[in-house]
Amino acid sequence: MRKITWLAAIGLIVVGFAMFTRADDDASPLVGKAAPALSLATLDGKNVNLADQKGNVVLLDFWATWCPPCRMSLPHIQKISANKDLAAKGLMVWTVNDRETPDVIEKFQKDNSYTFTVLFDSNGSAGQSYLVQAIPTTVVVGRDGMVKNVFVGFDSDSTAQAIDDAVQKALAESK
């Protein structure tokens, strides 16, 4: 009986992990619509507003330090964020942390040598506005302020390439 209980628990963990790591392109009803308003504080205390970025492409990545699929995706987000060519073409990368404290995030960033911009979603309202059901959720907002793509979960092969392709396509659109 005890063995069955353990097997059931392991099965639930596997199913839960699979749900958080699934990757659906354009999975959100937000695609093709105006991006919801977003105004949050950064890790270094500055306030940023998505509306001020019209004319740029903004990649938003909703995540948390405790999330295994997020930990898999963040090296790719860091790579995109550090790409000077993409930045010169008008790409902004903002990661939106889900309800963690600055000290937890700062330690996590330092331990992993991450330099991307972190926005605090201290009460989860930004995640709700973007209909985030699972993390990581990555959103590409075009120069026109419209949601171009939404990626839920992360697969190191297919999702990474799909995000790169979506960013390139959004950057190719005229200002």
Side-chain angles (χ1 to χ4, degrees):
M1 180 71 166
R2 193 169 194 196
K3 188 174 188 179
I4 292 172
T5 304
W6 275 103
L7 289 174
I10 291 170
L12 286 173
I13 291 169
V14 168
V15 169
F17 186 74
M19 288 175 59
F20 278 101
T21 58
R22 109 180 177 275
D24 299 327
D25 292 359
D26 298 344
S28 172
L30 293 176
V31 174
K33 297 186 176 142
L38 182 82
S39 182
L40 295 169
T42 65
L43 191 58
D44 58 3
K46 297 176 185 167
N47 286 318
V48 297
N49 190 329
L50 183 61
D52 296 338
Q53 297 305 315
K54 208 156 200 175
N56 289 320
V57 171
V58 179
L59 182 127
L60 299 170
D61 187 69
F62 293 84
W63 67 286
T65 62
W66 52 263
C67 164
C70 299
R71 288 176 175 249
M72 287 179 9
S73 73
L74 289 173
H76 188 70
I77 299 301
Q78 172 63 36
K79 179 180 167 189
I80 295 170
S81 176
N83 186 317
K84 292 182 185 337
D85 291 335
L86 294 176
K89 292 176 184 176
L91 178 67
M92 301 290 300
V93 176
W94 291 346
T95 67
V96 183
N97 181 270
D98 186 35
R99 301 176 219 196
E100 293 184 289
T101 60
D103 57 324
V104 169
I105 299 166
E106 286 171 349
K107 181 180 181 335
F108 182 79
Q109 273 202 292
K110 183 179 178 185
D111 290 350
N112 292 284
S113 301
Y114 291 144
T115 59
F116 46 70
T117 301
V118 178
L119 309 181
F120 291 105
D121 189 12
S122 59
N123 62 8
S125 62
Q128 288 175 345
S129 294
Y130 279 81
L131 308 177
V132 173
Q133 300 289 316
I135 53 176
T137 292
T138 306
V139 179
V140 178
V141 178
R143 296 180 191 279
D144 58 1
M146 305 295 281
V147 174
K148 302 299 181 181
N149 298 86
V150 176
F151 303 93
V152 179
F154 187 79
D155 174 273
S156 59
D157 296 325
S158 63
T159 312
Q161 186 60 55
I163 290 170
D164 291 348
D165 292 347
V167 165
Q168 289 294 344
K169 185 176 178 183
L171 286 170
E173 292 180 2
S174 60
K175 289 184 181 181

